[in-house]
C-alpha cells in the first residue's frame, strides 16, 4: 500500500476544517472530559463551559458555569442542580435540549468512544421549536374559531327553532281539528316543509357536533327487529308512491335484542333507505339485517340497504361521503338535500365502532352496508301489579297537575299551554329563572318545564338554585329541560345539571306528553300504554 501523501499536520488541518464545516457543534473529549478536538460552532455555543474545562475545572463545574452564563439570575445551587441533570442525561446517552447565548436551542447527544473518551454533537432545533410554536398558535386560533362557530350555532339554532316551534306547534294543533280536504292538504304542506327545514338544521348541527368532538353515543337495551319493522312501515308509503317495493329481511338466527343506540341507528338506516327510494325509479329497495357474534357478549350488526336504481360511477363513489357533496351537479337540483346525510351517517357508524361501505355499478343499482358494535341486551321486567298508576299514565295523571312553565318566549309558552291544558294540567307561566324561583317559593308545583336559554337567569342556573334549595318540596320538584340546543339532544348533560327529563324544540306534542309521563313514572310508578296519554286536541281553544 502506498504511503499517504499527507503529513500528520496536514491531516489534522483537514480534520479541523471538516469539523468546522459541520452545521452544528462538535467536540471530542478524553476519558476525563478534557477537550481533544472541537469545532468553531461548539466554541461559540459553549464558550463559558469550554473555558472552564481548559482552566482545569471538573466537567460538572464547567457545565454549571455554562448554565450560569445563560441564566445569570439563578443562584449557585440552582445552576448546580440544572448542571447535574444535564450531565446525568448526557451520560445516559439520551439527547437533551440546551439554550445557547445566541438564543438558539440545540439538541445535544454524547456518545462514549472505544478508547474511553466521548464525542458530543449538537443539532440546532430552533426552527423546529418555532414551527411547533406556530402550530400551537394556529391550533389555538382554530379552537377559538371553532368555539366562535359553536356559539354562533347555539344562537342561530335557538333563533330558528323558536319560530319553527310556533309554526309546527300550531300546525300540529290545527291538524287535530275539523278541516276540509283542501285545508288539510295545505296544512300537510306546512308540516312537511317545517319538518324538512328541521331535518336540514339538524344535519348541519349534527355535523358540527361530531366535528367538535361533542357527540355522544347512548346505548340502551333495544329490539333491533322492532326498530327495523317500524322503519319499514314508515318508508313503505313513500316507496309505494313511486311504484317501488320495500322488503325487510331479518336473520331469524340472529340475536336482535341488543344494547346499542337506537336513535343513531334509526338515523343511519333512515338516511340509507331514504336515499335508496329517492334515487330509484323502478324496481325496489331491500333491507336485510343480521348480528354476528365476535366474542364474549359482543356482536357486529350488519344492516344492508340495496336498491335497483341507476348505480354510480367510480368517480361518484370517491366523493360520496364528503360533506356538502352530492353525486353530481344535477343531484341537488333534481332531488334536493344538503349532501350531509351520508357523511353524518358514516361518522355516526364510526362512533359506534363500525362504518358504512358501498357497492355500486352504473346501471345496476347500489348496496350500502351499515355495521356497528353491540352487546347483549336485557329485556326490562314488567312493573309490579301494585304500582301506583293513579298518579301516572296520560289523562289519568294529568288531570289536576300543577305545572310551572318557564320560557322567555311568549310564543313557546303559548304552544306548550295549548298542548297541555286539554289534559287538565294547570299552568303558571314565568319568563325567566328569577320569576320561576319566586313562583316556586309562593306555591307548590307537581312539575317544572324549564327552558335552558333565557335572559336574567338561564336554565342551568335556575336548576342549580332549585336543587340547592333548603325546602324539600322545591329541591325535589321534577324538572323537564326544554331547549333548542344547537348541538342536539344531550340527556346526560341535563341529568348532570339536575333535570329529570328533556324535550327539544320545536316541541312535538306526543314527545312532550311522553316525557312528562316518563318523569312521573320515575317518581310514582308505571305509566300505562302511551296511546292513553294523547288527548283529543280538537278540544284546544274550546
Amino acid at each position: 500500500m502506498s504511503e499517504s501523501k499527507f503529513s500528520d499536520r496536514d491531516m489534522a488541518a483537514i480534520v479541523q476544517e471538516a469539523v468546522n464545516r459541520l452545521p452544528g457543534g462538535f467536540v471530542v473529549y478524553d476519558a476525563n472530559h478534557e477537550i481533544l478536538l472541537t469545532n468553531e460552532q461548539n466554541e461559540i455555543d459553549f464558550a463559558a463551559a469550554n473555558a472552564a474545562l481548559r482552566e482545569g475545572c471538573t466537567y460538572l463545574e464547567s457545565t454549571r458555569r455554562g448554565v450560569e452564563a445563560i441564566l445569570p439570575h439563578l443562584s449557585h445551587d440552582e445552576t448546580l442542580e440544572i448542571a447535574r441533570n444535564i450531565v446525568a442525561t448526557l451520560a445516559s446517552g439520551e439527547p437533551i435540549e440546551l439554550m445557547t447565548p445566541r438564543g438558539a436551542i440545540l439538541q445535544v447527544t454524547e456518545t462514549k468512544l472505544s478508547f474511553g473518551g466521548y464525542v458530543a454533537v449538537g443539532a440546532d432545533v430552533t426552527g423546529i421549536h418555532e414551527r411547533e410554536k406556530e402550530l400551537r398558535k394556529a391550533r389555538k386560533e382554530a379552537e377559538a374559531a371553532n368555539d366562535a362557530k359553536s356559539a354562533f350555532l347555539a344562537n342561530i339554532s335557538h333563533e330558528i327553532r323558536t319560530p319553527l316551534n310556533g309554526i309546527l306547534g300550531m300546525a300540529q294543533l290545527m291538524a287535530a281539528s275539523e278541516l276540509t280536504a283542501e285545508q288539510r292538504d295545505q296544512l300537510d304542506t306546512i308540516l312537511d316543509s317545517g319538518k324538512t327545514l328541521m331535518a336540514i338544521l339538524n344535519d348541519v348541527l349534527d355535523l358540527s357536533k361530531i366535528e367538535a368532538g361533542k357527540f355522544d353515543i347512548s346505548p340502551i337495551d333495544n329490539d333491533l327487529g322492532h326498530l327495523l319493522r317500524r322503519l319499514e312501515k314508515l318508508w313503505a308509503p313513500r316507496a309505494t308512491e313511486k311504484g317501488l317495493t320495500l322488503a325487510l329481511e331479518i336473520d331469524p338466527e340472529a340475536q336482535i335484542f341488543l344494547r346499542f343506540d337506537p336513535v343513531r341507528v334509526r338515523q343511519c338506516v333512515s338516511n340509507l333507505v331514504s336515499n335508496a327510494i329517492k334515487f330509484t325509479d323502478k324496481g325496489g329497495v331491500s333491507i336485510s339485517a343480521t348480528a354476528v357474534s365476535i366474542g364474549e357478549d359482543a356482536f357486529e350488526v350488519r344492516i344492508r340497504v340495496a336498491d335497483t336504481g341507476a348505480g354510480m360511477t367510480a368517480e361518484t363513489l370517491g366523493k360520496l361521503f364528503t360533506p356538502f357533496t352530492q353525486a353530481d351537479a344535477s343531484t341537488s337540483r333534481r332531488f334536493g338535500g344538503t349532501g350531509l346525510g351520508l357523511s353524518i351517517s358514516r361518522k355516526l357508524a364510526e362512533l359506534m365502532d363500525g362504518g358504512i361501505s358501498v357497492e355500486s355499478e352504473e346501471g345496476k343499482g347500489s348496496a350500502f352496508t351499515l355495521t356497528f358494535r353491540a352487546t347483549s341486551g336485557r329485556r326490562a321486567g314488567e312493573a309490579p301489579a301494585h304500582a301506583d298508576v293513579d298518579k301516572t299514565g296520560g289523562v289519568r295523571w294529568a288531570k289536576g297537575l300543577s305545572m310551572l312553565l318557564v320560557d322567555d318566549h311568549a310564543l313557546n309558552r303559548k304552544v306548550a299551554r295549548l298542548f297541555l291544558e286539554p289534559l287538565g294540567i294547570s299552568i303558571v307561566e314565568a319568563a325567566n329563572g328569577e320569576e320561576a324561583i319566586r313562583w316556586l317559593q309562593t306555591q307548590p308545583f307537581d312539575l317544572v318545564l324549564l327552558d335552558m336559554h333565557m335572559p336574567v337567569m338561564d336554565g342551568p342556573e335556575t336548576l342549580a338554585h332549585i336543587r340547592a334549595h333548603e325546602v324539600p318540596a322545591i329541591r325535589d320538584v321534577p324538572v323537564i329541560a326544554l331547549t333548542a340546543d344547537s348541538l342536539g339532544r344531550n340527556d346526560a348533560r341535563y341529568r348532570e345539571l339536575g333535570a329529570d327529563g328533556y324535550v327539544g324544540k320545536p316541541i312535538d306534542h306526543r314527545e312532550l306528553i311522553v316525557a312528562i309521563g316518563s318523569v312521573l313514572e320515575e317518581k310514582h310508578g308505571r305509566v300505562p300504554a302511551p296511546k292513553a296519554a294523547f288527548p283529543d286536541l280538537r278540544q284546544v281553544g274550546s
Side-chain angles (χ1 to χ4, degrees):
M1 180 178 286
S2 59
E3 293 183 6
S4 172
K5 60 183 178 181
F6 297 110
S7 66
D8 290 345
R9 181 176 296 180
D10 291 337
M11 283 300 300
I14 291 171
V15 170
Q16 186 64 58
E17 181 182 0
V19 297
N20 285 339
R21 297 289 179 90
L22 292 175
F26 178 87
V27 58
V28 177
Y29 302 106
D30 67 10
N32 297 316
H33 274 95
E34 291 184 7
I35 298 173
L36 300 178
L37 176 65
T38 181
N39 70 352
E40 292 174 353
Q41 193 61 57
N42 178 64
E43 292 294 340
I44 293 171
D45 291 334
F46 301 103
N50 289 349
L53 283 172
R54 292 188 175 104
E55 291 173 8
C57 293
T58 64
Y59 187 44
L60 178 60
E61 174 58 22
S62 300
T63 304
R64 191 201 67 77
R65 290 195 187 182
V67 173
E68 186 178 55
I70 303 297
L71 304 170
H73 60 283
L74 297 183
S75 67
H76 180 280
D77 288 345
E78 288 172 327
T79 55
L80 182 59
E81 184 61 31
I82 294 172
R84 285 196 178 108
N85 179 60
I86 294 171
V87 170
T89 303
L90 291 173
S92 70
E94 295 293 320
I96 189 168
E97 291 185 352
L98 304 175
M99 180 77 73
T100 71
R102 58 191 173 92
I105 300 173
L106 300 185
Q107 187 179 78
V108 179
T109 306
E110 187 173 281
T111 305
K112 194 163 187 176
L113 299 174
S114 58
F115 74 93
Y118 306 87
V119 59
V121 180
D124 194 329
V125 294
T126 309
I128 295 175
H129 278 263
E130 288 297 324
R131 285 191 291 275
E132 288 176 348
K133 185 177 179 181
E134 290 171 3
L135 286 172
R136 284 194 296 271
K137 180 182 177 184
R139 187 163 80 174
K140 282 186 178 180
E141 291 174 350
E143 288 172 350
N146 192 57
D147 289 344
K149 181 184 76 171
S150 296
F152 169 77
L153 285 171
N155 292 330
I156 200 68
S157 170
H158 192 267
E159 295 305 316
I160 292 173
R161 287 176 192 265
T162 295
L164 262 180
N165 187 45
I167 294 169
L168 292 177
M170 294 303 177
Q172 289 176 70
L173 292 167
M174 290 179 64
S177 61
E178 297 292 343
L179 300 171
T180 66
E182 183 180 3
Q183 288 172 330
R184 186 162 296 281
D185 181 63
Q186 293 169 346
L187 187 62
D188 286 344
T189 300
I190 293 173
L191 283 168
D192 286 344
S193 299
K195 290 174 181 176
T196 300
L197 183 56
M198 273 302 304
I200 293 171
L201 179 62
N202 287 337
D203 276 351
V204 173
L205 296 176
D206 276 353
L207 185 66
S208 298
K209 186 174 183 182
I210 292 169
E211 290 178 344
K214 298 178 180 177
F215 204 104
D216 296 322
I217 297 299
S218 304
I220 61 172
D221 296 337
N222 205 269
D223 188 331
L224 179 65
H226 180 63
L227 182 150
L228 294 176
R229 283 188 286 273
R230 288 186 63 184
L231 283 177
E232 179 193 20
K233 290 180 181 178
L234 174 67
W235 289 105
R238 185 76 60 87
T240 302
E241 285 176 8
K242 293 190 68 176
L244 304 174
T245 61
L246 179 61
L248 170 64
E249 181 183 353
I250 300 172
D251 183 357
E253 302 296 322
Q255 178 174 332
I256 57 173
F257 200 88
L258 300 165
R259 188 171 184 80
F260 60 94
D261 188 331
V263 174
R264 298 309 166 190
V265 170
R266 188 181 300 113
Q267 183 176 351
C268 292
V269 177
S270 287
N271 183 261
L272 296 180
V273 175
S274 172
N275 283 345
I277 295 172
K278 182 191 296 185
F279 297 110
T280 302
D281 293 324
K282 61 181 180 178
V285 175
S286 64
I287 308 167
S288 59
T290 187
V292 180
S293 176
I294 55 174
E296 185 177 351
D297 196 38
F299 298 85
E300 181 179 77
V301 180
R302 299 172 187 169
I303 301 174
R304 187 173 187 268
V305 179
D307 63 61
T308 58
M312 291 172 280
T313 64
E315 180 183 358
T316 299
L317 287 172
K319 58 185 180 182
L320 196 60
F321 293 95
T322 304
F324 302 102
T325 302
Q326 293 186 318
D328 57 54
S330 65
T331 300
S332 59
R333 292 195 299 272
R334 183 180 173 194
F335 297 104
T338 60
L340 286 173
L342 282 175
S343 172
I344 291 171
S345 295
R346 172 175 272 187
K347 291 178 185 294
L348 289 175
E350 290 170 351
L351 288 172
M352 295 186 289
D353 295 324
I356 295 181
S357 59
V358 58
E359 302 168 31
S360 185
E361 187 175 343
E362 197 169 12
K364 295 186 179 180
S366 305
F368 289 81
T369 301
L370 164 70
T371 63
F372 61 91
R373 297 290 177 89
T375 56
S376 297
R378 183 174 61 84
R379 294 183 186 275
E382 289 296 319
H386 61 277
D388 184 1
V389 296
D390 291 335
K391 298 180 182 177
T392 63
V395 176
R396 282 186 292 171
W397 53 252
K399 191 175 178 70
L401 274 183
S402 175
M403 173 185 284
L404 178 60
L405 173 59
V406 191
D407 195 302
D408 59 310
H409 284 273
L411 178 60
N412 291 337
R413 298 198 301 271
K414 181 177 182 179
V415 169
R417 176 183 284 277
L418 291 174
F419 280 165
L420 298 173
E421 281 188 334
L423 288 165
I425 296 177
S426 172
I427 295 174
V428 172
E429 297 183 14
N432 56 62
E434 283 189 358
E435 286 186 24
I437 297 297
R438 284 198 295 271
W439 273 112
L440 286 167
Q441 293 171 336
T442 303
Q443 67 182 72
F445 291 93
D446 299 301
L447 192 68
V448 177
L449 190 61
L450 178 65
D451 185 30
M452 290 290 103
H453 301 277
M454 297 180 294
V456 184
M457 182 187 289
D458 63 12
E461 188 178 355
T462 305
L463 257 175
H465 277 77
I466 291 173
R467 296 305 181 222
H469 205 280
E470 59 186 13
V471 178
I474 297 176
R475 183 173 64 243
D476 300 330
V477 67
V479 177
I480 295 177
L482 176 64
T483 181
D485 196 321
S486 69
L487 294 181
R489 187 180 182 96
N490 192 340
D491 293 14
R493 174 173 173 251
Y494 293 114
R495 291 278 182 182
E496 289 172 4
L497 290 171
D500 299 280
Y502 169 101
V503 174
K505 293 179 183 177
I507 300 172
D508 180 271
H509 76 279
R510 297 178 70 88
E511 182 183 347
L512 174 60
I513 295 169
V514 167
I516 293 172
S518 297
V519 168
L520 294 179
E521 174 188 14
E522 291 185 13
K523 294 290 182 182
H524 303 293
R526 178 171 170 265
V527 176
K531 64 182 180 181
F534 305 113
D536 181 354
L537 293 178
R538 284 175 292 187
Q539 300 175 53
V540 174
S542 62

